[in-house]
Coordinates of all heavy atoms in Angstrom, one line a residue:
P13 N -56.5 -41.8 92.0 CA -57.6 -42.5 91.4 C -57.5 -44.0 91.7 O -56.4 -44.5 92.1 CB -57.3 -42.3 89.9 CG -55.9 -42.1 89.8 CD -55.5 -41.4 91.1
D14 N -58.6 -44.7 91.6 CA -58.6 -46.2 91.8 C -57.8 -46.8 90.6 O -58.2 -46.6 89.5 CB -60.1 -46.6 91.8 CG -60.2 -48.1 92.2 OD1 -59.2 -48.8 92.0 OD2 -61.2 -48.5 92.7
A15 N -56.8 -47.5 90.9 CA -56.0 -48.2 89.8 C -56.7 -49.4 89.3 O -56.3 -49.9 88.3 CB -54.7 -48.6 90.4
H16 N -57.8 -49.7 89.9 CA -58.6 -50.9 89.4 C -59.4 -50.6 88.2 O -59.5 -51.3 87.3 CB -59.5 -51.4 90.6 CG -59.9 -52.8 90.4 ND1 -59.0 -53.8 90.3 CD2 -61.1 -53.4 90.5 CE1 -59.7 -55.0 90.2 NE2 -61.0 -54.7 90.3
D17 N -60.1 -49.4 88.3 CA -61.0 -49.0 87.2 C -60.7 -47.5 86.9 O -60.5 -46.7 87.8 CB -62.4 -49.1 87.6 CG -62.8 -50.6 87.8 OD1 -62.5 -51.4 87.0 OD2 -63.3 -50.9 88.9
S18 N -60.8 -47.1 85.6 CA -60.7 -45.7 85.3 C -62.0 -45.0 85.6 O -63.0 -45.7 85.7 CB -60.3 -45.6 83.8 OG -61.3 -46.1 83.0
P19 N -62.0 -43.7 85.6 CA -63.2 -43.0 85.9 C -64.3 -43.3 84.9 O -64.0 -43.5 83.7 CB -62.8 -41.5 85.8 CG -61.4 -41.5 86.1 CD -60.9 -42.8 85.5
P20 N -65.6 -43.3 85.3 CA -66.6 -43.7 84.4 C -66.8 -42.6 83.3 O -66.5 -41.5 83.5 CB -67.9 -43.8 85.2 CG -67.6 -42.9 86.4 CD -66.1 -43.0 86.6
A21 N -67.3 -43.1 82.1 CA -67.5 -42.1 81.0 C -68.8 -41.3 81.3 O -69.7 -41.8 82.0 CB -67.7 -42.9 79.7
P22 N -68.9 -40.2 80.7 CA -70.1 -39.4 80.8 C -71.3 -40.1 80.2 O -71.1 -40.9 79.3 CB -69.8 -38.1 80.1 CG -68.3 -38.1 79.9 CD -67.9 -39.5 79.9
D23 N -72.5 -39.7 80.6 CA -73.7 -40.2 80.0 C -73.8 -41.7 80.0 O -74.1 -42.3 79.0 CB -73.8 -39.6 78.6 CG -75.2 -39.8 78.0 OD1 -76.1 -40.0 78.8 OD2 -75.4 -39.7 76.8
R24 N -73.6 -42.3 81.1 CA -73.7 -43.8 81.2 C -75.2 -44.2 81.3 O -75.5 -45.4 81.3 CB -73.0 -44.3 82.4 CG -71.5 -44.2 82.2 CD -71.1 -45.1 81.0 NE -69.6 -45.0 80.8 CZ -69.1 -45.3 79.6 NH1 -69.8 -45.7 78.6 NH2 -67.8 -45.2 79.5
S25 N -76.1 -43.3 81.4 CA -77.5 -43.6 81.6 C -78.0 -44.2 80.3 O -79.0 -44.9 80.3 CB -78.3 -42.4 82.0 OG -78.2 -41.4 81.0
R26 N -77.4 -43.9 79.2 CA -77.9 -44.4 77.9 C -77.0 -45.5 77.4 O -75.8 -45.3 77.0 CB -77.9 -43.3 76.9 CG -78.5 -43.7 75.6 CD -78.7 -42.5 74.6 NE -77.4 -42.0 74.3 CZ -77.2 -40.9 73.5 NH1 -78.2 -40.2 73.0 NH2 -76.0 -40.5 73.2
K27 N -77.5 -46.7 77.5 CA -76.7 -47.9 77.1 C -76.6 -48.0 75.6 O -77.6 -47.9 74.9 CB -77.3 -49.2 77.7 CG -76.4 -50.4 77.5 CD -76.9 -51.6 78.2 CE -76.1 -52.8 78.0 NZ -76.6 -54.0 78.7
S28 N -75.4 -48.2 75.0 CA -75.3 -48.2 73.5 C -75.0 -49.6 73.1 O -74.5 -50.4 73.8 CB -74.2 -47.2 73.1 OG -73.0 -47.6 73.7
S29 N -75.4 -49.8 71.8 CA -75.1 -51.1 71.2 C -73.7 -51.0 70.6 O -73.0 -50.0 70.6 CB -76.1 -51.4 70.1 OG -76.0 -50.5 69.0

Side-chain angles (χ1 to χ4, degrees):
D14 190 334
H16 201 55
D17 298 308
S18 62
D23 195 18
R24 287 297 177 203
S25 59
R26 187 175 63 181
K27 187 176 181 180
S28 61
S29 67

